[in-house]
Amino acid sequence: MTNPNNLKVKAQAIKETWGAKCNKAVYMSSVADSSFPAVGLGADGEKLWPKARKAWYHIYENYADDYDWFLKSDDDTFVIVENLRYFASKLNANEPHYLGRRFKPQGDYNSVGAGYVVSRAALKKLGPTLKDEGGCPSTSGAEDAQMTICLHRVGIEPDDTRDGVRERFNPFPLSHRLVPASVPRDFWYWRYITSKPNTDGPDCCSDLTISFHFISPNQMHVLYFYIYHLHPYGWFKADADLPKPKFVRSVEQKVKVKVEQVSKDTQP
């Protein structure tokens, strides 16, 4: 999710890097842009939760039957899509799951900056409430807290996504966690964390980390090069193939299903 000022800069960097690794990437802004393309949400760009609420309803209405997992990210979030697929492959998308970086104020909720993910089952439980102010209010609160409230009302709580005690979803750049004391101990982060120990240095983050936040467009390209191209000679090894997505329908498959259904309906 982005805004018109960032679409051709920040969202463009995602489009040229990790966004291309998604089965489907939908870019959303407050104003439609057919040249990018971007879906126009018609919401005030400064009010993030009403905008995100409209974005989730658009996804529910148009894609809920086409994919297993649905990721929402900011335009300065970098996602290692293969690591997300690997983590999600151990879960069942037909069950409600809410993945992300869990914090504890106002009840457990997932950080919006680190990106958060819902399974197809979770989206289908959430979707109908997005039309109901009583079920999922559009009050302009913090997006991550409001999203969690709406999911809580349909019985969905954040999953534990840690790799032991190391985090997979990170609300900061790697440099903020890797270099000791980059995040002062009186900073809000240390009060919000749900797990101890939570440390600086190489043990801060999972070797299969999924996301980092506050990544500039230039750094998007740098991270992409480091992750997907650079490796020391003799150290490269291939991991086992990821399981194939269980529920990704191509346009051709959806047309085939529709044609077969029409044929059955018209048989004498």
Side-chain angles (χ1 to χ4, degrees):
M1 196 168 75
T2 187
N3 63 60
N5 292 331
N6 289 342
L7 182 66
K8 300 295 177 66
V9 182
K10 292 185 175 183
Q12 183 67 35
I14 291 176
K15 191 175 183 180
E16 292 170 354
T17 57
W18 68 264
K21 291 185 170 290
C22 300
N23 294 107
K24 173 77 174 179
V26 180
Y27 298 89
M28 300 195 185
S29 180
S30 48
V31 179
D33 187 322
S34 59
S35 66
F36 193 77
V39 175
L41 298 172
D44 184 344
E46 297 302 315
K47 297 178 180 177
L48 295 182
W49 169 239
K51 187 176 174 182
R53 188 174 180 270
K54 288 185 176 183
W56 277 113
Y57 190 69
H58 177 89
I59 295 299
Y60 169 69
E61 285 279 276
N62 293 278
Y63 302 105
D65 288 324
D66 297 340
Y67 301 96
D68 288 326
W69 299 93
F70 302 85
L71 161 72
K72 188 269 175 185
S73 84
D74 287 348
D75 56 15
D76 59 352
T77 305
F78 188 95
V79 178
I80 305 169
V81 176
E82 293 83 354
N83 290 351
L84 174 56
R85 284 201 181 101
Y86 175 70
F87 183 78
S89 72
K90 300 176 181 298
L91 303 173
N92 185 350
N94 292 315
E95 298 173 353
H97 290 285
Y98 174 34
L99 313 178
R101 177 63 170 90
R102 192 168 59 172
F103 287 140
K104 65 185 179 185
Q106 304 176 40
D108 284 358
Y109 70 91
N110 283 334
S111 161
V112 63
Y116 59 92
V117 181
V118 296
S119 63
R120 183 174 62 256
L123 179 61
K124 288 193 169 186
K125 292 187 76 172
L126 173 70
T129 74
L130 296 172
K131 295 190 294 184
D132 178 13
E133 281 291 329
C136 184
S138 59
T139 306
S140 185
E143 177 189 341
D144 33 23
Q146 292 298 127
M147 180 68 172
T148 301
I149 289 169
C150 293
L151 288 168
H152 175 77
R153 290 181 176 181
V154 292
I156 301 170
E157 304 297 337
D159 287 48
D160 185 349
T161 61
R162 292 172 297 162
D163 178 0
V165 296
R166 300 184 301 173
E167 297 293 346
R168 286 186 170 92
F169 291 82
N170 293 281
F172 298 115
L174 177 58
S175 59
H176 281 43
R177 302 303 320 285
L178 191 61
V179 180
S182 292
V183 180
R185 287 289 161 170
D186 59 353
F187 195 59
W188 62 263
Y189 172 79
W190 302 108
R191 301 192 304 273
Y192 281 32
I193 57 177
T194 57
S195 59
K196 301 283 178 36
N198 193 284
T199 185
D200 295 329
D203 288 331
C204 69
C205 312
S206 171
D207 291 348
L208 294 174
T209 283
I210 290 170
S211 68
F212 294 107
H213 188 215
F214 297 125
I215 307 300
S216 70
N218 284 352
Q219 283 299 310
M220 290 271 180
H221 290 279
V222 171
L223 275 176
Y224 191 84
F225 180 82
Y226 283 162
I227 292 168
Y228 294 103
H229 297 282
L230 181 65
H231 64 271
Y233 180 79
W235 279 54
F236 180 79
K237 68 181 182 66
D239 292 314
D241 290 339
L242 285 166
K244 291 187 181 298
K246 300 180 183 68
F247 201 84
V248 178
R249 289 186 183 176
S250 66
V251 173
E252 292 79 7
Q253 288 173 317
K254 287 188 279 189
V255 169
K256 182 180 179 183
V257 169
K258 181 70 73 175
V259 169
E260 289 176 348
Q261 185 61 51
V262 169
S263 298
K264 289 178 182 178
D265 292 344
T266 55
Q267 285 178 358

